[in-house]
């Protein structure tokens, strides 16, 4: 396994904690930098980072991957439009997500998509 992901809690609710293995520290540090630059309502929110002894990223829990989500044709269209708008906003400030697949789009209880996996 190249990174470890677990669910944790803080005073504000659930947090996803991603910890790098020694071989993936540089990759996780790059993701942390990108997520900090990409602060946007359509992107998972960084709530903390830790470096030595372990490189760790903490983001607010934003839901489950869109692959398990189902909706009406109108809600699917809305979901697609929201993701496209977020990507356009990010591109407008020089941030490129890279390959976006179903595991990179999270849908929370509020029904809004949020991008992860930068």
């Amino acid at each position: 396994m190249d990174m470890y992901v677990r669910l944790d809690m803080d005073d504000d609710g659930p947090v996803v904690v991603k910890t790098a293995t020694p071989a993936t520290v540089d990759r996780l540090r790059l993701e942390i930098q990108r997520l900090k630059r990409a602060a946007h309502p359509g992107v998972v929110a960084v709530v903390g980072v830790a470096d030595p002894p372990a490189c760790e990223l903490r983001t607010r829990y934003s839901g489950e991957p869109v692959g398990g989500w189902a909706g009406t044709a109108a809600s699917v269209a809305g979901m697609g439009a929201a993701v496209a708008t977020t990507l356009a906003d990010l591109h407008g400030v020089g941030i490129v997500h890279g390959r976006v697949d179903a595991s990179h789009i999270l849908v929370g209880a509020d029904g809004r998509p949020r991008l992860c996996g930068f």
Side-chain angles (χ1 to χ4, degrees):
M1 180 170 271
D2 63 354
M3 288 201 206
Y4 298 96
V5 179
R6 73 179 194 280
L7 191 60
D8 201 355
M9 294 293 284
D10 68 11
D11 292 340
D12 296 318
V15 175
V16 175
V17 181
K18 185 185 264 189
T19 305
T21 62
T24 60
V25 167
D26 290 339
R27 196 172 87 206
L28 186 57
R29 285 183 180 142
L30 182 59
E31 181 176 357
I32 290 167
Q33 291 172 358
R34 289 176 177 162
L35 281 172
K36 285 182 174 182
R37 284 188 52 224
H40 184 282
V43 175
V44 296
V46 174
V47 295
V49 296
D51 220 348
C55 183
E56 184 177 275
L57 166 64
R58 297 173 69 83
T59 58
R60 181 67 46 216
Y61 176 77
S62 294
E64 295 296 319
V66 73
W69 178 81
T72 65
S75 60
V76 171
M79 181 77 61
V83 170
T85 298
T86 298
L87 290 170
D89 290 348
L90 295 175
H91 289 181
V93 295
I95 299 169
V96 178
H97 182 284
R99 182 173 173 252
V100 178
D101 63 29
S103 69
H104 295 145
I105 303 169
L106 305 176
V107 183
D110 62 0
R112 294 194 59 173
R114 288 178 182 80
L115 296 176
C116 67
F118 282 73

